[in-house]
Amino acid sequence: MHDMQAILDDIATKVTALPDRGKVATYIPQLACVDPDQFGMTVALPDGTVYSSGDAQTLFSIQSISKVFTLTIALGKLGDALWRRVGREPSGDPFNSIVQLEMEHGKPRNPFINAGAIAVVDAIMMGHQPKETIAEILQFVRFIADDNSICMDDRVAKSELLTGDRNASLAHFMASFGHFKNPVDFVLGTYFHQCSIAMSCEQLARAALFLVSDGLNTSNGTRVVSAQRARRINSLMMMCGHYDGSGEFAFRVGLPGKSGVGGGIMAVAPGKASIAVWSPGLDHVGNSKLGTIALEMLAERTGWSVFGH
Ligand code: DON
């Protein structure tokens, strides 16, 4: 058995001493205000035990990590019919790219690029008002994290709405193919709110526990999804969770993971643990710089990898 606390403390000490922490995202003005000198990490075991180091209780904007949760909701509502709206191939392109959308007739490559996540929101709205869907997403996140204190940050959602021209372009472009079932503005408003969910590493690691144990949160006995669905969500995180950095993440860390421009990464070591790490500085493709290094160190020290044991 590993001395997890000692491993995490050591990783935190080592990564926070690194000179290059990457750059905080500035295209959403509210994210640009975050202090870059922060680092937190949590490992949650299937029995619910958590080990944390650094700023693991500080709330941060989960941004694209929320796409895992909306995908899970969408699969619950639509099942395999969801795959008519969105593909499941890595894009090899930046998260906000529009180029493939034209060639592929408005069907996004996967649910984790922005276009795909926006299409997923359209799929789950089913004619409801934005506030109903927003409440439903928040309710689901509170349920899987077993924590009713989790909230959205309206300032972040508004800030993104004001600067969201690229996402609006993606949404209108998809709608031009006749794919949307709800008004584009409703879908975008809901998407910006899901991205603005604020969570700590401890909350995020707990929320990911259902992906560790075949869809069952063994810490409280709640089944969230079937075993097959949990495996499929993990496979999508592995292939597409870090955009055009997904191959690099698989190579260096070897675990399914999902990043967000707030600097968070949620990762899953199937059967072993869930991991959340946060540091706001990003690398050149928009993934947490120290977060990735920390996960690489953790995988090396624990031997956790889906590619061997
Ligand atoms: O739509 C956006 O641009 C943001 N709300 C989320 C993007 C994101 O987190 C990409 N992650 N690396």
Side-chain angles (χ1 to χ4, degrees):
M1 196 52 202
H2 312 286
D3 183 348
M4 192 52 69
Q5 191 60 52
I7 292 176
L8 292 186
D9 290 342
D10 186 51
I11 291 173
T13 308
K14 291 212 164 78
V15 297
T16 51
L18 293 172
D20 182 3
R21 291 172 162 257
K23 288 200 175 62
V24 174
T26 51
Y27 76 101
I28 302 172
Q30 275 292 321
L31 296 184
C33 314
V34 176
D35 172 9
D37 283 340
Q38 300 183 85
F39 173 87
M41 192 169 194
T42 295
V43 167
L45 303 184
D47 68 1
T49 313
V50 296
Y51 298 92
S52 292
S53 201
D55 305 305
Q57 273 110 25
T58 307
L59 301 182
F60 61 90
S61 194
I62 68 166
Q63 292 295 318
S64 286
I65 300 170
S66 65
K67 295 170 182 173
V68 178
F69 306 140
T70 45
L71 169 68
T72 308
I73 296 172
L75 286 169
K77 289 190 172 202
L78 283 87
D80 282 342
L82 181 68
W83 306 119
R84 285 195 225 119
R85 298 289 311 270
V86 55
R88 36 182 202 254
E89 290 293 342
S91 69
D93 275 330
F95 64 90
N96 56 3
S97 173
I98 200 167
V99 289
Q100 278 169 352
L101 262 189
E102 178 164 26
M103 289 182 304
E104 297 174 5
H105 313 290
K107 182 177 174 181
R109 274 278 170 110
N110 67 63
F112 294 153
I113 50 172
N114 285 8
I118 292 167
V120 165
V121 172
D122 181 57
I124 61 180
M125 283 191 84
M126 297 179 154
H128 288 107
Q129 293 297 309
K131 66 175 177 206
E132 293 172 300
T133 308
I134 289 168
E136 185 183 2
I137 296 168
L138 187 57
Q139 188 57 36
F140 179 72
V141 174
R142 287 176 173 175
F143 162 66
I144 56 172
D146 208 355
D147 188 335
N148 283 330
S149 72
I150 296 168
C151 282
M152 291 172 176
D153 185 336
D154 266 340
R155 288 163 310 170
V156 173
K158 289 210 176 78
S159 178
E160 186 165 7
L161 179 66
L162 293 173
T163 55
D165 291 330
R166 178 70 71 98
N167 284 321
S169 307
L170 294 168
H172 282 288
F173 193 67
M174 285 187 283
S176 75
F177 289 89
H179 293 341
F180 269 38
K181 297 190 170 51
N182 303 275
V184 169
D185 288 352
F186 283 16
V187 176
L188 281 170
T190 306
Y191 170 73
F192 294 142
H193 275 87
Q194 83 171 57
C195 290
S196 79
I197 295 172
M199 290 171 82
S200 66
C201 288
E202 290 196 354
Q203 289 170 328
L204 200 54
R206 284 203 176 93
L209 271 177
F210 77 97
L211 295 170
V212 176
S213 306
D214 284 335
L216 182 72
N217 182 339
T218 46
S219 75
N220 59 12
T222 343
R223 173 152 303 277
V224 181
V225 293
S226 67
Q228 181 197 53
R229 186 159 292 164
R231 285 197 292 269
R232 287 178 165 180
I233 294 167
N234 283 339
S235 82
L236 285 160
M237 288 205 287
M238 178 60 100
M239 301 304 294
C240 320
H242 284 71
Y243 315 107
D244 42 348
S246 297
E248 179 75 8
F249 188 82
F251 183 84
R252 285 170 57 188
V253 179
L255 298 173
K258 182 75 205 80
S259 69
V261 286
I265 303 177
M266 177 176 89
V268 176
K272 308 240 165 33
S274 53
I275 309 129
V277 61
W278 170 61
S279 183
L282 308 178
D283 65 16
H284 64 289
V285 287
N287 300 316
S288 175
K289 178 132 192 157
L290 295 193
T292 309
I293 296 170
L295 283 168
E296 195 176 8
M297 291 169 80
L298 182 72
E300 199 179 294
R301 296 202 193 170
T302 54
W304 292 344
S305 166
V306 296
F307 299 111
H309 53 265

